[in-house]
């Protein structure tokens, strides 16, 4: 199953990073974390640093650049950032030659998984995060090739479902 490019989309805490690792191992494909690539490109130390020193708009521009780099890959499993769907240009790059899998979970599950995480500037206030969550649902759905729920099941079970869909 080579020459496949699979990109996970979904809200923060939906399981994109975990499933990227699992699927990459299973399919023996290289894995990429957009957030890590953004931090590397920025020359700064972390995502909160980028938000603090340069603001969200600059962060989104870096994200678009990383999406462009990803559009040139022939294969791999990629974990995107939860906000990629807010910018059409970013999604234009991410859609190129790839399968977009939308991982879902109810907000309560997500909030429980994330807990207190100082590395996520847009998840510092639960109420605001919930609003963002609600606002983004239709965007993830719009871009997704298919949707997989991660609620109330193990990562292995989710992995099996994904393998079923892409084989
Ligand atoms: C963001 C999600 C984060 C990260 C940044 C902004 C968002 O990625 O890109 O903090 O706007 O939802 P994860 O989805 O990996 O947490």
């Amino acid at each position: 199953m080579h020459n496949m490019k699979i990109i996970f989309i979904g809200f923060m805490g939906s399981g994109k990073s975990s499933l990227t690792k699992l699927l990459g191992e299973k399919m023996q494909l290289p894995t990429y974390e957009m957030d890590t690539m953004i931090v590397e490109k920025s020359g700064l130390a972390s995502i909160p640093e980028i938000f603090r020193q340069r603001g969200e708009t600059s962060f989104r521009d870096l994200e678009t650049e990383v999406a462009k780099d990803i559009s040139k890959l022939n294969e791999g499993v990629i974990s995107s950032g939860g906000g990629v769907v807010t910018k059409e240009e970013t999604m234009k790059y991410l859609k190129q030659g790839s399968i977009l899998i939308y991982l879902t979970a109810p907000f309560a599950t997500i909030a429980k998984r994330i807990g207190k995480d100082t590395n996520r500037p847009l998840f510092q206030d639960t109420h605001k995060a919930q609003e963002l969550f609600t606002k983004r649902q239709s965007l993830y759905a719009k871009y997704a090739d298919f949707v997989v729920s991660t609620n109330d099941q193990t990562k292995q079970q989710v992995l099996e479902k994904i393998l079923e869909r892409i084989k």
Side-chain angles (χ1 to χ4, degrees):
M1 282 206 274
H2 283 274
N3 257 320
M4 250 191 158
K5 186 162 68 171
I6 294 156
I7 305 182
F8 286 109
I9 61 171
F11 204 66
M12 296 173 257
S14 59
K16 298 173 300 240
S17 297
S18 310
L19 266 309
T20 292
K21 282 194 205 102
L22 286 176
L23 188 62
E25 258 167 47
K26 186 84 182 178
M27 295 180 71
Q28 303 201 322
L29 286 171
T31 59
Y32 303 87
E33 278 282 339
M34 284 188 71
D35 285 346
T36 307
M37 294 164 81
I38 291 168
V39 172
E40 278 167 8
K41 236 188 224 301
S42 75
L44 295 177
S46 66
I47 288 185
E49 277 300 301
I50 303 173
F51 271 72
R52 246 196 312 272
Q53 294 195 26
R54 304 196 187 146
E56 181 172 351
T57 308
S58 291
F59 176 83
R60 296 298 169 207
D61 290 345
L62 285 168
E63 190 164 63
T64 305
E65 281 182 42
V66 166
K68 190 174 181 181
D69 293 343
I70 285 170
S71 72
K72 293 169 189 150
L73 298 172
N74 290 319
E75 58 171 29
V77 184
I78 297 118
S79 178
S80 69
V84 289
V85 291
T86 60
K87 205 168 152 195
E88 224 177 287
E89 192 188 358
T90 300
M91 291 313 294
K92 180 192 82 186
Y93 288 126
L94 293 186
K95 278 192 307 189
Q96 285 175 22
S98 67
I99 300 174
L100 295 182
I101 306 179
Y102 170 24
L103 297 179
T104 64
F107 185 76
T109 305
I110 278 175
K112 217 181 292 166
R113 283 183 193 156
I114 290 189
K116 284 206 188 329
D117 183 352
T118 54
N119 208 32
R120 284 181 164 114
L122 298 183
F123 211 110
Q124 296 310 302
D125 175 304
T126 310
H127 183 70
K128 277 190 195 149
Q130 179 147 27
E131 276 180 2
L132 206 56
F133 175 88
T134 305
K135 212 163 69 183
R136 286 186 182 164
Q137 295 311 298
S138 59
L139 290 172
Y140 297 125
K142 173 175 111 175
Y143 290 111
D145 290 303
F146 62 89
V147 185
V148 178
S149 166
T150 67
N151 200 38
D152 282 337
Q153 45 200 318
T154 66
K155 286 168 190 163
Q156 284 302 329
Q157 287 172 314
V158 179
L159 178 66
E160 289 305 319
K161 278 204 269 177
I162 292 167
L163 291 168
E164 262 312 295
R165 293 294 300 261
I166 62 179
K167 80 178 180 201

